[in-house]
Amino acid sequence: MTASIKPRVERLAALPAVIVGAVLLRLIAGVGFANYDTLYALAWGGQLARGETPAYDLPIAPTPHPLVEALGVVLYPLGPRATEKIAVWLGFLALAACGWVVYRLASLWFGWAAGALAALILLTRVPILSYGVRAYVDVPYLLLVLGAVLVEARRRAAGDRPAGAPVLALLALAGLLRPEAWAFSALYWLYVIVRERRGPTASASSRQDRAPRSRRALVALTLLAAAGPLVWLLSDLAITGDALWSLTNTRHTAHTLQRITGIANVPEYVPRRIGEILRPPVLAGAAVGGVLSLLWLRRRAIGGALAGAIAVLVFVAVAVAGLPINTRYGFLTAAILCVFCGAGAFGWTRLQDGDRRRRWWMAGGALVLVALVAFAPSQYKSAHRELNKLARQQDIQGDLLALVDNHSISLRCGPVEVPNHAPVPLLALYLKTSPANVVSGQVATVADGTYVDPASKEVETDYVLDAHDPHRPVNVPPGFTEAHDNSSWLIFQRCS
């Protein structure tokens, strides 16, 4: 009875724990706003809600994310400000939930202490925290894939056959955020089919798990595995006439922005990106945990090791496909390594009392903890510096939206020109217009309308997509006169 009640209690505790965690993360971070990619997806969703075709074919437009666009459609009646706020809070909830799932995974394999440490490490990694507070799609994507790993890990721990539909459903949703999930779906589907052909295991815990899946059930699983890519490709086809639009446009944008791509850069940059997320003490702790757990707790460690290996292979495949080797594409690998770092510190708790190996592992775990504590001040400084930078960007963005609220920025005189690409989706969302009506001065100049100019050199340098992106000086268009201003922006207009 106790064994059956405990999982229910854990599931009931998950939701309030995640909500409390999200609130704490928001208070600690002190900042929260939607990033460029998410704003574009919400603006495109607004276009769909108005019956317009989303303007994908714009310079430096990001890869479409169908699930976020669907969210933009649903939230459109609430208005742009509420839409962005909900997206930001969903980002914090996803970040907190990632911590919870990592805790559950590490607890399942290596004990609660390993789980608590793994979750703490994950939530204090600067890139993951930074992307989480800006509502990047990569964090909910990470949550969905980790959730799929957790569901399957619990099934394996119980000796049951593969979960099937629940895992594929989570991966299908993840596949509407990032196409890498398609590979995970395909591999998991293949695993399920192979296991079905081998027949049920003798340890299956229920009659249902011992019975083979019907042909209809297998067809349903196949359709579920294909759902992510089918919806994405059909979406691209319906909107652009090209089912491979997302792939070709992402490659083009990566080339335009001079991003690092290609298999030749994999040996150097894939490890570097993972190292940027975790830093040396966590990598060392994960190495200790990985080696010792595979040696002495192999049945517990093998699932995590396989998940980590597949995550690395998919990361490499992204680079081979000509897509950029971005730090955020390493989040899944980093999360699995956080689990093994927890194992490095506390995996010995899963060994029997009196086992001589415990002393060796405890000694190694102590060294891992010392290294983590020694590096903590540096990690805190990095996080503080990053959050301060984001707070500055949020202030600048707030000043820009204040000018929208008082109608200093509007479409009354024509399109809006901005000095670089960064403000384009934000203004499109809040002006309830196509991003095509907000023109980046990096690619074109408007003859009539509104020009938004930074009020200082600091604003000009702080409010950009990436300081390393190609950038050319822009000036106020001829014939425009100053009409409004605030501490961050000067507004010039020319009405024909």
Side-chain angles (χ1 to χ4, degrees):
M1 185 70 173
T2 303
S4 64
I5 291 174
K6 186 177 179 182
R8 295 178 187 175
V9 172
E10 290 174 349
R11 284 193 290 270
L12 289 172
L15 182 58
V18 167
I19 293 173
V20 171
V23 172
L24 288 175
L25 285 168
R26 178 63 180 86
L27 292 174
I28 292 169
V31 61
F33 59 96
N35 73 93
Y36 181 82
D37 290 24
T38 300
L39 288 168
Y40 246 115
L42 294 174
W44 285 331
Q47 286 191 271
L48 287 169
R50 294 190 297 270
E52 303 171 8
T53 300
Y56 284 179
D57 192 11
L58 295 174
I60 319 299
T63 304
H65 302 288
L67 192 59
V68 186
E69 289 178 43
L71 178 67
V73 173
V74 172
L75 297 180
Y76 181 76
L78 301 179
R81 195 170 297 277
T83 295
E84 185 188 6
K85 284 184 177 179
I86 291 172
V88 169
W89 272 108
L90 288 175
F92 276 104
L93 287 168
L95 182 60
C98 283
W100 174 263
V101 174
V102 164
Y103 166 75
R104 294 304 311 152
L105 269 174
S107 297
L108 179 66
W109 291 330
F110 306 117
W112 71 266
L117 180 60
L120 179 63
I121 291 171
L122 180 80
L123 295 177
T124 54
R125 298 310 91 188
V126 174
I128 293 176
L129 182 62
S130 175
Y131 279 66
V133 303
R134 288 182 286 166
Y136 267 87
V137 300
D138 305 87
V139 176
Y141 165 82
L142 176 63
L143 171 62
L144 291 166
V145 178
L146 287 175
V149 174
L150 178 59
V151 170
E152 187 60 27
R154 283 174 166 167
R155 298 283 290 190
R156 286 177 58 88
D160 294 334
R161 71 181 179 185
V167 170
L168 287 172
L170 289 169
L171 293 176
L173 290 173
L176 297 177
L177 292 174
R178 288 252 300 273
E180 299 97 292
W182 305 349
F184 297 130
S185 291
L187 290 171
Y188 182 75
W189 173 84
L190 184 62
Y191 164 71
V192 171
I193 297 300
V194 170
R195 285 291 300 269
E196 284 297 317
R197 290 186 174 181
R198 286 171 52 186
T201 62
S203 61
S205 62
S206 70
R207 181 178 301 175
Q208 183 180 6
D209 284 323
R210 289 192 291 270
R213 285 185 169 96
S214 67
R215 184 180 297 273
R216 179 179 294 181
L218 292 176
V219 169
L221 291 179
T222 302
L223 292 174
L224 196 53
L230 279 176
V231 171
W232 195 309
L233 295 174
L234 289 174
S235 172
D236 274 4
L237 181 64
I239 291 171
T240 69
D242 179 4
L244 298 179
W245 165 264
S246 293
L247 175 62
T248 55
N249 184 63
T250 303
R251 283 175 172 170
H252 175 72
T253 302
H255 176 74
T256 301
L257 297 179
Q258 303 173 11
R259 296 290 190 257
I260 296 166
T261 64
I263 192 170
N265 289 306
V266 164
E268 177 182 359
Y269 283 95
V270 168
R272 179 185 293 185
R273 295 296 183 251
I274 295 170
E276 288 171 357
I277 301 167
L278 296 179
R279 314 307 296 167
V282 179
L283 291 172
V288 171
V291 171
L292 295 182
S293 62
L294 286 170
L295 281 175
W296 297 337
L297 294 172
R298 183 167 299 177
R299 287 179 61 85
R300 293 181 177 276
I302 193 66
L306 285 173
I310 293 171
V312 171
L313 289 175
V314 172
F315 193 2
V316 171
V318 167
V320 173
L323 303 180
I325 307 176
N326 288 337
T327 300
R328 53 195 169 121
Y329 297 162
F331 282 0
L332 179 58
T333 304
I336 299 297
L337 290 175
C338 287
V339 170
F340 279 104
C341 187
F346 294 111
W348 55 268
T349 60
R350 288 303 198 188
L351 295 174
Q352 294 292 326
D353 291 340
D355 190 323
R356 293 183 178 180
R357 296 173 297 181
R358 281 173 65 105
R359 288 182 295 176
W360 292 103
W361 200 331
M362 289 172 69
L367 292 176
V368 170
L369 290 173
V370 168
L372 291 173
V373 171
F375 199 76
S378 174
Q379 186 69 20
Y380 171 80
K381 289 178 182 177
S382 296
H384 185 67
R385 184 165 53 249
E386 176 69 10
L387 292 173
N388 280 344
K389 183 180 76 173
L390 295 180
R392 172 61 177 155
Q393 291 181 14
Q394 186 171 17
D395 289 342
I396 295 171
Q397 189 166 293
D399 285 345
L400 187 60
L401 293 180
L403 293 167
V404 174
D405 292 340
N406 66 18
H407 306 293
S408 298
I409 299 175
S410 71
L411 299 171
R412 179 175 56 86
C413 295
V416 177
E417 182 182 340
V418 292
N420 59 60
H421 300 287
V424 170
L426 179 74
L427 291 178
L429 176 67
Y430 277 80
L431 291 172
K432 298 183 181 180
T433 189
S434 167
N437 292 326
V438 184
V439 180
S440 171
Q442 296 298 308
V443 296
T445 300
V446 299
D448 298 288
T450 300
Y451 178 76
V452 181
D453 195 41
S456 67
K457 185 66 176 177
E458 290 73 19
V459 173
E460 183 178 351
T461 56
D462 289 346
Y463 197 64
V464 293
L465 285 182
D466 190 322
H468 300 99
D469 287 346
H471 183 81
R472 68 178 183 86
V474 294
N475 297 307
V476 178
F480 280 63
T481 58
E482 185 173 344
H484 308 279
D485 68 83
N486 62 22
S487 59
S488 298
W489 303 98
L490 305 175
I491 306 302
F492 297 82
Q493 290 181 337
R494 179 181 179 181
C495 298
S496 57

